[in-house]
C-alpha cells in the first residue's frame, strides 16, 4: 500500500505515472474488451479474471452493466483514454453498477491498481457490515488505487460514500469529477474512514460538487483518519461549512481537521429567500415564485444561513416531493438559521417512499424552523431507526409546526427523535399510524464535556395528536410502540424537562410481554421531568398486564394538571423502578383519573412519592364519542369548568385548545384537551376558517411578494400601501371589477418607482370606499 503521505505529496502526477504505472504497461500484456465480441472478452470482469499482475485491461466504448472487482490483482483497467488521451472516451465508456453493488471494488490488498477513463454510474455500494453499505462508485478497502480521468456520478448508497468509500486504504485522484452522488448517511461524494486517505492531485485537478448526504454532502472523514487535504478546481461552494465537509470526533462534533482549496464554486449561495416547486428546476435561480428550484436539497445548498438577522426561508409549493417524482435527496441535511415553509400542511408532502427518513439535524445545527408539511412513508430502519426526523445534539431553538407524521417506521422512534436539544417547540403536530418505537422520542444524554458544558434541555409539545401509533413485535429492541417517550440522564435528574399541553393520545397500542412494563401513551424515565397539562389520554392499550397508558420510572417526575386519563387498558398510570435510589415523584391536580388514586399502580410504594389532590375526580368524562373530535366534552360532563388556572408560573397555556377554540372560556378552564362551549355539537367539526380577503406570500420577503385578494361585490376595488406610521406610500391597484379573486405582485417600490426601505408595511383592500381588511407585510 502507498501509505506515506509525504511521498505522495512530493511526487508530481507525471513522475508518479512514469515510475509506478508506465512499467506495468511496458512489461504487461494487453487484454481487450469489446462488447461486439471482437476483443478478447466482451465484459470487463472476465478480462480481469484472466489477467495477471502488471497486465492492462483495455476497454472499448460502451455501457457495461457490471460490478467489477480487481480480485487482488495489480493491474490497469482503462478505456481508450489510457492509450489516446482523448477525453470523449471517458463519457463513452461507462461502468453501470445497475444498483447491484459498487461499480468498482479494490478490496484484496492491491497496491498498484490503476483505473482510468471511465464514467461510473448507478452503483449502490458494497456491504461493509450488517448495518453499513458504502462506495457506490468506488469501494477501496486495505488497498491502494490510482484513479485518473474518471467521472463518478449518479450513484446512490443506503449508507456512506455515494461516490467513493475509502476504508483503511489509499486512493489517489487525478482529473476525476465526482458529482450528483447520494449517500443516506455520510459523505455523499467521498467518505474516508479507519485511517483511510484520499490524495488529490495538485496539478491535474479534480472536481467535487453537488453530492448529497445527511452529513457531509461532499466529503466526510472519521476521527481515525489523519488530516485530509481537499485540493480541487471546482467545489459546490467556494467557502464550504460543515454542511458540505464533515469531520467529526467521537461525540459527533466537528473537528476542523480538513484543509481546503478550490478555484471555483459550482453555485453562488444567496443571502435571501428561495422558492421550490415540483414544476421547478435546479437550473433556475430560485429567487422568485416564477422561477423556482425543484428540490429542497439543492435549495439547502443555495441559501445562506443568516445568524445576524431574520432567517432566510425556503418556500415550498404544494405538491409531492419524493426520490422518484422530483429527485429529492432524503435524508435532508438541515442547516441552522434557515426556515423551511410549506404552502399547506395537507398538500405539501414529503414522501420518502419507504427508502429512508426525511430530515437530519446534525450536531450544533441551531435556530431553524420547519412548518406546514405532511411527512409520509418514512423508513429509518435502514440507518438510525427513526421514521422521519432525527435532531441530534444541540439542535437548540428549533420550531416544528403544522406537520403531520404519517406511516413512519423506526425501531427507536417511529416518527421524530430529539436527542440532547434545548428550547425545542413542537406545535400542532399530528403523529398518526407510525410503527415501531414511540412516535416521539425525546432524550437527553448530556455529559458536560468541553466545549459543550452541561445545560438543561427543555421541550414544549403544544396542541399535538398521537393517534394509532403501534408496534408489530413484542421484542422491545424492535420498537415498543405508542405515543411518546421522555428519557433523561438518570445521574442528572434535572437534565430534561418537557411540557405536554393540549395533547391527545388515543388508540395507540403496544404489543409487549413481561417482564418488561409497557407504557403505551407516554413513557417517562431516567430522571426526566414532565408536566402534563390539559391533555386527553383515552382508549390506549397494551397487551402487557403490567403496563399502563403512562409509565413513570427510574428517578423521574410527573405533574398532571387538568388532564383526563380514561378507558386505557390495562390501567391509567404505573410507577416502577429497579432500585430504591431511583425513586419517582407523581403529583395529580384537577384531573380525571379512571379508578381514582387506586387506578395508579405503584409497584414499590415505599420508594416513590404520590400526591393525589382532592380536586381530582373519578367518573365518566362524558366524551362526545362522535364527529371529528370524539373526545370533546358533551353536555353535563363533570370535566366542564373543573380545571384550574392556578398553574406553576413556568407553564403557559396556548390561546386555543386542540380544536382551535378558546382555551379559557368565560374565565374558566375545563379538564382535557378540548374546551366546552357553544361550539359543541353532535357531529362537530369547526368550519375551515374563512379565507382572508387579503393575504401576502412570501411574508417576510426580500424582492417581491404576491398579494392575493377576494372581493365579494362588484365595483371599485383598490389596494393601498401604508408605512407603519399610517402614511400612504403606494396605490398598488385601483380598478373597477366583478366579484372574485385576484392577485398582484408588489416589488417593494412606492408610487415613484423607488425601493422602499426594509420595515413593516400595511396593505389594505378597499371595495366601494369601504375597507375589507388589511395585512401587515415585512420587507427585509
Amino acid at each position: 500500500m502507498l501509505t506515506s503521505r509525504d511521498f505522495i505529496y512530493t511526487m508530481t502526477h507525471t513522475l508518479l505515472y512514469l515510475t509506478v504505472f508506465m512499467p506495468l504497461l511496458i512489461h504487461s500484456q494487453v487484454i481487450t474488451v469489446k462488447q461486439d465480441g471482437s476483443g478478447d472478452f466482451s465484459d470487463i470482469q472476465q478480462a480481469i479474471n484472466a489477467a495477471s499482475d502488471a497486465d492492462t485491461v483495455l476497454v472499448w466504448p460502451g455501457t457495461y452493466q457490471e460490478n467489477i472487482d480487481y480480485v487482488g490483482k495489480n493491474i490497469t483497467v482503462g478505456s481508450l483514454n489510457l492509450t489516446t488521451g482523448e477525453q470523449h472516451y471517458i463519457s463513452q465508456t461507462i461502468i453501470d453498477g445497475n444498483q447491484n453493488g459498487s461499480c468498482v471494488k479494490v478490496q484484496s490488498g492491491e497496491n498498484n491498481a490503476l483505473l482510468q477513463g471511465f464514467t461510473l454510474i448507478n452503483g449502490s455500494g458494497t456491504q461493509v457490515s450488517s448495518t453499513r453499505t458504502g462506495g457506490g462508485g468506488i469501494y477501496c478497502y486495505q488497498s491502494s488505487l490510482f484513479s485518473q480521468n474518471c467521472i463518478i456520478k449518479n450513484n446512490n448508497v443506503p449508507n456512506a460514500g455515494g461516490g467513493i468509500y475509502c476504508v483503511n486504504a489509499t486512493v489517489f485522484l487525478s482529473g476525476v469529477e465526482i458529482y450528483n452522488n447520494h449517500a443516506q448517511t455520510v459523505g455523499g461524494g467521498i467518505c474516508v474512514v479507519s485511517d483511510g486517505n484520499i490524495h488529490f492531485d495538485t496539478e491535474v485537478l479534480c472536481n467535487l460538487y453537488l453530492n448529497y448526504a445527511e452529513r457531509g454532502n461532499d466529503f466526510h472523514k472519521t476521527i481515525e483518519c489523519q488530516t485530509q487535504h481537499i485540493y480541487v478546481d471546482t467545489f459546490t461552494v467556494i467557502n464550504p461549512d460543515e454542511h458540505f465537509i464533515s469531520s467529526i470526533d467521537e461525540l459527533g462534533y466537528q473537528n476542523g481537521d480538513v484543509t481546503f482549496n478550490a478555484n471555483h464554486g459550482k453555485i453562488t449561495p444567496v443571502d435571501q429567500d428561495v422558492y421550490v416547486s415540483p414544476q421547478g428546476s435546479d437550473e433556475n435561480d430560485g429567487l422568485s415564485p416564477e422561477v423556482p428550484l425543484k428540490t429542497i436539497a439543492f435549495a439547502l445548498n443555495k441559501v445562506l444561513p443568516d445568524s445576524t438577522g431574520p432567517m432566510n426561508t425556503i418556500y415550498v409549493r404544494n405538491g409531492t416531493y419524493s426520490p422518484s417524482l422530483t429527485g429529492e435527496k432524503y435524508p435532508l441535511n438541515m442547516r441552522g438559521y434557515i426556515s423551511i415553509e410549506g404552502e399547506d400542511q395537507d398538500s405539501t408532502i414529503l414522501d420518502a417512499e419507504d427508502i429512508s427518513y426525511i430530515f437530519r439535524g446534525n450536531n450544533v445545527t441551531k435556530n431553524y424552523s420547519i412548518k406546514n408539511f405532511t411527512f409520509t412513508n418514512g423508513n429509518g430502519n435502514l440507518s438510525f431507526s427513526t421514521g422521519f426526523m432525527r435532531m441530534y445534539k444541540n439542535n437548540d431553538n428549533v420550531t416544528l409546526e403544522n406537520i403531520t407524521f404519517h406511516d413512519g417506521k423506526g425501531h427507536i422512534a417511529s416518527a421524530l427523535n430529539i436527542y440532547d436539544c434545548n428550547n425545542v417547540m413542537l406545535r400542532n403536530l399530528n403523529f398518526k399510524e407510525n410503527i415501531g418505537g414511540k412516535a416521539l422520542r425525546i432524550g437527553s444524554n448530556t455529559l458536560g464535556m468541553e466545549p459543550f458544558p452541561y445545560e438543561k434541555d427543555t421541550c414544549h409539545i403544544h396542541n399535538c395528536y398521537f393517534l394509532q401509533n403501534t408496534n408489530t413485535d413484542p421484542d422491545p429492541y424492535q420498537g415498543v410502540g405508542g405515543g411518546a417517550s421522555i428519557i433523561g440522564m438518570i445521574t442528572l435528574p434535572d437534565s430534561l424537562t418537557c411540557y405536554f399541553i393540549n395533547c391527545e393520545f388515543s388508540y395507540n397500542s403496544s404489543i409487549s410481554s413481561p417482564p418488561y412494563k409497557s407504557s403505551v401513551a407516554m413513557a417517562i424515565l431516567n430522571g426526566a421531568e414532565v408536566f402534563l397539562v390539559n391533555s386527553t389520554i383515552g382508549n390506549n392499550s397494551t397487551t402487557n398486564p403490567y403496563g399502563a397508558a403512562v409509565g413513570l420510572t427510574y428517578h423521574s417526575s410527573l405533574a398532571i394538571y387538568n388532564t383526563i386519563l380514561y378507558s386505557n387498558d390495562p390501567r391509567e398510570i404505573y410507577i416502577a423502578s429497579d432500585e430504591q435510589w431511583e425513586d419517582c415523584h407523581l403529583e395529580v391536580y384537577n384531573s380525571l383519573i379512571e379508578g381514582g388514586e387506586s387506578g395508579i399502580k405503584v409497584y414499590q410504594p415505599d420508594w416513590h412519592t404520590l400526591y393525589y389532590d382532592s380536586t381530582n375526580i373519578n367518573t365518566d368524562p362524558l366524551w362526545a364519542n362522535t364527529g371529528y373530535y370524539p373526545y370533546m366534552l358533551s353536555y353535563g360532563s363533570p370535566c366542564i369548568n373543573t380545571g384550574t388556572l392556578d398553574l406553576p408560573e413556568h407553564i403557559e397555556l396556548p390561546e386555543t385548545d386542540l380544536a382551535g377554540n378558546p382555551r379559557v372560556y368565560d374565565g374558566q378552564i375545563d379538564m382535557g384537551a378540548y374546551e366546552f362551549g357553544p361550539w359543541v355539537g353532535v357531529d362537530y367539526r369547526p368550519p375551515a376558517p374563512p379565507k382572508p380577503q387579503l393575504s401576502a406570500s412570501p411574508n417576510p420577503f426580500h424582492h417581491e411578494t404576491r398579494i392575493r385578494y377576494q372581493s365579494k361585490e362588484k365595483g371599485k376595488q383598490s389596494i393601498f400601501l401604508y408605512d407603519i406610521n399610517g402614511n400612504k406610500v403606494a396605490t398598488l391597484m385601483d380598478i373597477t371589477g366583478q366579484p372574485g379573486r385576484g392577485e398582484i405582485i408588489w416589488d417593494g417600490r412606492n408610487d415613484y418607482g423607488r425601493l422602499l426601505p426594509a420595515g413593516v408595511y400595511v396593505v389594505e383592500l378597499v371595495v366601494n370606499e369601504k375597507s375589507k381588511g388589511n395585512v401587515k407585510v415585512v420587507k427585509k
Side-chain angles (χ1 to χ4, degrees):
M1 291 176 56
L2 297 174
T3 57
S4 172
R5 186 182 64 198
D6 292 335
F7 171 78
I8 293 291
Y9 272 83
T10 55
M11 298 292 287
T12 65
H13 158 66
T14 303
L15 184 59
L16 181 68
Y17 188 80
L18 291 175
T19 58
V20 177
F21 296 107
M22 187 58 74
L24 301 183
L25 297 178
I26 295 173
H27 300 291
S28 68
Q29 66 169 326
V30 176
I31 303 172
T32 60
V33 178
K34 300 181 182 180
Q35 285 187 320
D36 63 5
S38 62
D40 297 316
F41 296 96
S42 58
D43 66 64
I44 303 170
Q45 189 62 54
Q46 285 181 329
I48 292 174
N49 294 341
S52 301
D53 282 353
D55 284 351
T56 295
V57 174
L58 191 62
V59 183
W60 262 247
T63 297
Y64 297 82
Q65 287 197 344
E66 298 189 53
N67 308 94
I68 70 170
D69 188 335
Y70 275 65
V71 292
K73 298 179 180 181
N74 294 308
I75 60 175
T76 296
V77 180
S79 73
L80 297 185
N81 171 261
L82 176 71
T83 55
T84 68
E86 296 291 334
Q87 295 296 302
H88 65 270
Y89 287 118
I90 301 172
S91 60
Q92 292 177 359
T93 315
I94 300 168
I95 300 177
D96 183 341
N98 198 30
Q99 290 298 304
N100 193 37
S102 301
C103 295
V104 177
K105 289 189 287 188
V106 185
Q107 60 177 347
S108 304
E110 298 88 345
N111 58 22
N112 280 321
L114 171 65
L115 179 75
Q116 179 168 334
F118 291 94
T119 294
L120 311 181
I121 63 172
N122 294 331
S124 60
T126 296
Q127 188 163 347
V128 181
S129 67
S130 60
T131 59
R132 173 150 294 192
T133 300
I138 294 174
Y139 172 75
C140 191
Y141 172 71
Q142 292 187 346
S143 303
S144 293
L145 172 68
F146 184 95
S147 180
Q148 178 170 291
N149 297 351
C150 288
I151 297 171
I152 304 174
K153 66 176 183 177
N154 301 342
N155 299 284
N156 189 352
V157 301
N159 297 115
I164 297 174
Y165 191 62
C166 176
V167 191
N168 195 24
T170 299
V171 177
F172 189 95
L173 301 175
S174 177
V176 175
E177 189 166 17
I178 304 169
Y179 68 96
N180 200 39
N181 301 284
H182 180 215
Q184 290 181 23
T185 57
V186 294
I190 298 173
C191 181
V192 192
V193 301
S194 301
D195 200 29
N197 284 285
I198 297 287
H199 299 286
F200 291 89
D201 193 331
T202 58
E203 292 190 355
V204 182
L205 299 180
C206 298
N207 298 316
L208 178 62
Y209 59 87
L210 293 181
N211 301 284
Y212 297 92
E214 67 161 30
R215 185 198 288 270
N217 274 8
D218 290 306
F219 190 94
H220 174 83
K221 68 171 283 291
T222 57
I223 190 173
E224 304 91 354
C225 304
Q226 58 187 276
T227 298
Q228 300 289 299
H229 307 276
I230 299 175
Y231 202 104
V232 295
D233 179 67
T234 300
F235 197 76
T236 302
V237 295
I238 201 69
N239 294 305
D241 59 12
E242 64 274 7
H243 184 72
F244 304 96
I245 298 174
S246 171
S247 173
I248 58 174
D249 63 17
E250 65 274 10
L251 295 178
Y253 295 105
Q254 283 290 117
N255 259 336
D257 59 349
V258 177
T259 66
F260 175 80
N261 184 280
N263 297 330
H264 307 97
K266 190 68 176 179
I267 60 176
T268 301
V270 295
D271 188 11
Q272 65 182 84
D273 301 334
V274 298
Y275 301 82
V276 177
S277 167
Q279 289 74 45
S281 168
D282 287 342
E283 299 296 323
N284 293 337
D285 63 22
L287 302 183
S288 71
E290 288 70 33
V291 284
L293 304 172
K294 190 177 186 69
T295 65
I296 303 169
F298 187 88
L300 283 164
N301 283 343
K302 189 175 181 70
V303 68
L304 274 175
D306 187 352
S307 61
T308 61
M311 289 190 294
N312 291 318
T313 299
I314 298 171
Y315 289 101
V316 184
R317 282 187 181 171
N318 286 343
T320 298
Y321 298 80
S322 69
S324 65
L325 292 177
T326 59
E328 198 59 75
K329 304 293 194 301
Y330 296 131
L332 296 167
N333 184 359
M334 190 61 196
R335 306 183 77 177
Y337 300 96
I338 286 176
S339 177
I340 303 179
E341 186 173 326
E343 186 175 349
D344 177 80
Q345 178 176 351
D346 295 329
S347 302
T348 313
I349 300 169
L350 306 188
D351 186 347
E353 297 179 333
D354 209 36
I355 297 172
S356 72
Y357 65 107
I358 287 178
F359 269 106
R360 162 81 176 228
N362 288 301
N363 305 49
V364 203
T365 303
K366 299 184 177 183
N367 299 82
Y368 64 85
S369 66
I370 303 172
K371 302 178 181 179
N372 307 336
F373 288 98
T374 289
F375 294 177
T376 190
N377 296 321
N379 188 345
N381 288 329
L382 300 175
S383 50
F384 289 105
S385 295
T386 298
F388 290 111
M389 183 171 182
R390 189 171 190 242
M391 299 165 56
Y392 185 73
K393 285 187 178 290
N394 299 104
N395 279 222
D396 300 340
N397 310 317
V398 171
T399 297
L400 305 182
E401 186 172 359
N402 301 335
I403 299 174
T404 296
F405 299 92
H406 177 251
D407 198 14
K409 302 175 185 66
H411 299 327
I412 294 176
S414 58
L416 174 61
N417 190 355
I418 301 171
Y419 183 76
D420 260 2
C421 303
N422 185 35
N423 194 27
V424 175
M425 170 58 77
L426 310 179
R427 185 186 291 118
N428 300 331
L429 305 186
N430 184 353
F431 299 89
K432 184 178 181 181
E433 297 175 347
N434 300 289
I435 299 173
K438 289 285 190 285
L440 171 64
R441 183 184 190 273
I442 305 171
S444 179
N445 194 24
T446 302
L447 301 179
M449 293 184 175
E450 295 293 339
F452 302 100
Y454 163 72
E455 294 180 353
K456 180 176 181 176
D457 293 333
T458 59
C459 187
H460 301 265
I461 305 94
H462 292 183
N463 293 58
C464 293
Y465 289 95
F466 297 82
L467 309 175
Q468 298 176 306
N469 302 287
T470 189
N471 63 342
T472 57
D473 192 318
D475 181 357
Y477 293 101
Q478 301 301 312
V480 295
S485 59
I486 305 92
I487 308 169
M489 182 68 177
I490 196 167
T491 56
L492 297 169
D494 61 346
S495 60
L496 175 63
T497 299
C498 293
Y499 300 86
F500 286 81
I501 304 177
N502 285 354
C503 293
E504 178 190 317
F505 296 79
S506 62
Y507 291 102
N508 299 287
S509 60
S510 174
I511 302 171
S512 173
S513 301
Y516 305 104
K517 296 179 178 67
S518 173
S519 40
V520 61
M522 181 181 295
I524 306 163
L525 59 155
N526 289 6
E529 179 184 41
V530 172
F531 293 88
L532 181 61
V533 183
N534 278 104
S535 293
T536 296
I537 302 177
N539 292 309
N540 303 282
S541 63
T542 173
T543 59
N544 193 321
Y546 300 114
V550 176
L552 184 65
T553 60
Y554 304 130
H555 211 38
S556 299
S557 67
L558 170 63
I560 302 176
Y561 299 87
N562 305 344
T563 289
I564 301 172
L565 287 104
Y566 188 80
S567 193
N568 298 289
D569 186 28
R571 61 183 56 84
E572 308 307 316
I573 303 172
Y574 75 76
I575 308 174
S577 291
D578 292 335
E579 303 287 345
Q580 186 169 356
W581 69 269
E582 300 169 341
D583 57 303
C584 297
H585 184 75
L586 171 63
E587 300 177 12
V588 187
Y589 303 90
N590 296 84
S591 296
L592 187 155
I593 310 295
E594 184 178 13
E597 186 172 356
S598 62
I600 302 172
K601 178 65 175 178
V602 184
Y603 281 98
Q604 301 90 10
D606 294 336
W607 297 358
H608 308 292
T609 302
L610 167 61
Y611 177 77
Y612 190 84
D613 196 70
S614 61
T615 56
N616 299 309
I617 59 177
N618 169 24
T619 186
D620 188 331
L622 296 182
W623 287 321
N625 289 320
T626 187
Y628 190 74
Y629 297 114
Y631 294 97
M632 271 189 164
L633 304 177
S634 61
Y635 292 95
S637 168
C639 300
I640 297 172
N641 295 337
T642 51
T644 179
L645 292 170
D646 185 18
L647 301 170
E649 292 183 358
H650 50 84
I651 294 177
E652 295 185 10
L653 290 172
E655 292 185 3
T656 65
D657 70 0
L658 195 50
N661 299 308
R663 177 64 276 184
V664 178
Y665 178 68
D666 201 19
Q668 295 180 297
I669 191 169
D670 300 339
M671 296 178 182
Y674 302 93
E675 195 72 13
F676 182 84
W679 45 81
V680 172
V682 175
D683 190 16
Y684 174 76
R685 177 175 184 176
K691 290 195 177 289
Q693 296 191 49
L694 194 65
S695 64
S697 177
N699 187 14
F701 74 98
H702 275 290
H703 297 294
E704 63 182 30
T705 184
R706 187 180 301 272
I707 298 169
R708 296 178 173 89
Y709 64 91
Q710 179 179 359
S711 175
K712 296 182 180 180
E713 50 189 284
K714 66 179 179 179
K716 187 176 182 181
Q717 302 169 0
S718 304
I719 296 179
F720 301 117
L721 182 74
Y722 300 88
D723 64 22
I724 197 63
N725 297 315
N727 301 310
K728 182 179 173 183
V729 294
T731 299
L732 303 181
M733 185 183 78
D734 193 16
I735 64 172
T736 298
Q738 297 296 317
R741 296 183 175 89
E743 65 180 38
I744 60 173
I745 292 176
W746 178 44
D747 61 1
R749 300 178 185 272
N750 64 13
D751 280 340
Y752 302 99
R754 298 190 183 98
L755 278 174
L756 292 171
V760 179
Y761 295 86
V762 177
V763 180
E764 181 185 33
L765 172 65
V766 176
V767 179
N768 295 327
E769 310 302 328
K770 293 182 180 180
S771 178
K772 296 298 182 181
N774 62 71
V775 62
K776 290 182 180 179
V777 294
V778 179
K779 183 178 183 296
K780 293 185 179 180

